Amino acid sequence: SQTIHQWPATLVQPVGSPLSLECTVEGTSNPNLYWYRQAAGRGLQLLFYSVGIGQISSEVPQNLSASRPQDRQFILSSKKLLLSDSGFYLCAWSWGVGNTEAFFGQGTRLTVV
Amino acid sequence: GEDVEQSLFLSVREGDSSVINCTYTDSSSTYLYWYKQEPGAGLQLLTYIFSNMDMKQDQRLTVLLNKKDKHLSLRIADTQTGDSAIYFCAESNTDKLIFGTGTRLQVFP
């Protein structure tokens, strides 16, 4: 069976510090991978998605970047965090063909102080 | 670009039916989904409907799709306190999965 791991669960970082959130998927190959951010009152915003190693599509211009160094690893990064980067970050994967049901990680609560 | 809109809040009495509405803009959407998010957790798929269908029923859940108006709804029959959560509408076309703003459903006794 497939599983998705996302860590850390919570993170408090000062403004200007770097960020690295990691997400890995097990039990499948060549999944589509997604990073979403959930901010209060703004729903679930698609930040990045990837259909393969090294292929990253950015949906929203921002202070963040994503990388996919391995087939089942998706990393969300920032060189310098802003207060506005605070939120609940969710990683997800899907088979990406036909019915693109997405399976989500448990999320990372990021607070930038 | 794609946009998916929902009302933010819905409050219902236990045992009543809940109807959560969603509108979307991408006419080429192939699948439309309803996801549920428990507090502090990720999302879980509740049900989905293919774009060439008008209705889908799954136990207490009924999904209605009006493709002409780009309107999707989720009806929960006999709503229970355990149904309290945030419900997200989502649409997909090829590889992207776009979510709505989410509707927080509160069920009171």
Side-chain angles (χ1 to χ4, degrees), chain B:
Chain B
E2 307 91 345
D3 194 21
V4 182
E5 296 288 339
Q6 300 175 238
S7 53
L8 290 180
F9 298 100
L10 177 65
S11 183
V12 300
R13 187 182 299 277
E14 190 174 18
D16 289 351
S17 292
S18 308
V19 179
I20 303 171
N21 295 299
C22 168
T23 57
Y24 60 98
T25 58
D26 187 359
S27 58
S28 60
S29 298
T30 50
Y31 287 91
L32 295 124
Y33 308 82
W34 284 104
Y35 282 78
K36 179 181 180 182
Q37 184 183 32
E38 304 280 358
L43 279 69
Q44 288 190 307
L45 180 67
L46 276 180
T47 187
Y48 68 92
I49 188 167
F50 189 49
S51 58
N52 68 354
M53 297 169 64
D54 299 322
M55 185 183 84
K56 181 179 180 181
Q57 188 150 2
D58 184 1
Q59 299 181 331
R60 292 191 297 123
L61 305 178
T62 303
V63 179
L64 294 176
L65 174 60
N66 182 329
K67 197 173 180 182
K68 174 175 170 290
D69 294 338
K70 300 192 188 69
H71 182 267
L72 183 75
S73 68
L74 174 69
R75 180 177 179 269
I76 305 173
D78 188 26
T79 312
Q80 302 298 306
T81 54
D83 295 324
S84 294
I86 301 176
Y87 290 81
F88 288 91
C89 167
E91 58 95 7
S92 73
N93 178 17
T94 63
D95 295 305
K96 285 203 299 188
L97 187 58
I98 304 297
F99 284 83
T101 48
T103 299
R104 184 179 294 277
L105 174 63
Q106 182 179 24
V107 183
F108 58 93

Side-chain angles (χ1 to χ4, degrees), chain A residues 6-65:
Chain A
Q6 184 182 342
W7 68 92
T10 59
L11 191 59
V12 180
Q13 292 283 96
V15 168
S17 64
L19 172 74
S20 180
L21 301 182
E22 190 163 343
C23 174
T24 59
V25 179
E26 295 176 359
T28 187
S29 60
N30 198 31
N32 278 14
L33 296 171
Y34 307 86
W35 277 111
Y36 289 90
R37 177 168 59 201
Q38 185 176 16
R42 295 186 61 185
L44 209 58
Q45 183 183 36
L46 177 62
L47 301 176
F48 302 95
Y49 71 98
S50 170
V51 301
I53 296 175
Q55 299 177 60
I56 308 293
S57 296
S58 175
E59 287 296 295
V60 182
Q62 61 218 320
N63 186 40
L64 302 168
S65 61

